[in-house]
Amino acid sequence: TLAEVWKQNIPRKMAFLLWRALSDRLPTKENLLKRGIIVEEVDHLWPLCNQHLETSYHIFLNYDFVQKVWLECYSWIAQDFAIVLPESI
């Protein structure tokens, strides 16, 4: 749960970023559009790939480079994880 984020032994700013990502509170182009802060005509693609809508899910889980980073992290801790990505954060 989101409350569990604050109980972890991680720096506060990391916990805050994690909480915002899990609660879909990051200022992604998708969220800014939903809140009427940016208009329809603005390019909504993630600027690092220019292929997908900029969402928390894409930034942290679905972007090709990020998936490689996560795989490398998993290999560092020498765990055998089954990687199943959620549909959304």
Side-chain angles (χ1 to χ4, degrees):
T1 67
L2 290 175
E4 294 296 317
V5 169
W6 304 109
K7 297 175 185 174
Q8 303 306 310
N9 187 22
I10 58 176
R12 273 283 202 224
K13 62 183 173 181
M14 297 290 285
F16 187 62
L17 176 65
L18 181 58
W19 179 84
R20 287 184 75 186
L22 292 173
S23 60
D24 199 24
R25 299 283 188 212
L26 291 172
T28 62
K29 289 181 182 177
E30 176 190 47
N31 286 339
L32 295 174
L33 180 65
K34 281 186 209 174
R35 293 179 178 99
I37 296 170
I38 60 175
V39 293
E40 295 277 343
E41 293 80 31
V42 174
D43 182 17
H44 301 110
L45 298 180
W46 172 236
L48 297 180
C49 72
N50 286 315
Q51 296 176 352
H52 298 279
L53 177 65
E54 184 184 279
T55 64
S56 296
Y57 173 74
H58 185 65
I59 293 169
F60 289 103
L61 298 172
N62 195 34
Y63 177 46
D64 291 338
F65 176 76
V66 170
Q67 288 181 346
K68 291 174 187 170
V69 170
W70 286 121
L71 286 172
E72 189 66 25
C73 290
Y74 291 142
S75 70
W76 289 340
I77 57 174
Q79 296 290 332
D80 186 15
F81 289 99
I83 299 175
V84 178
L85 299 177
E87 288 299 315
S88 65
I89 291 183

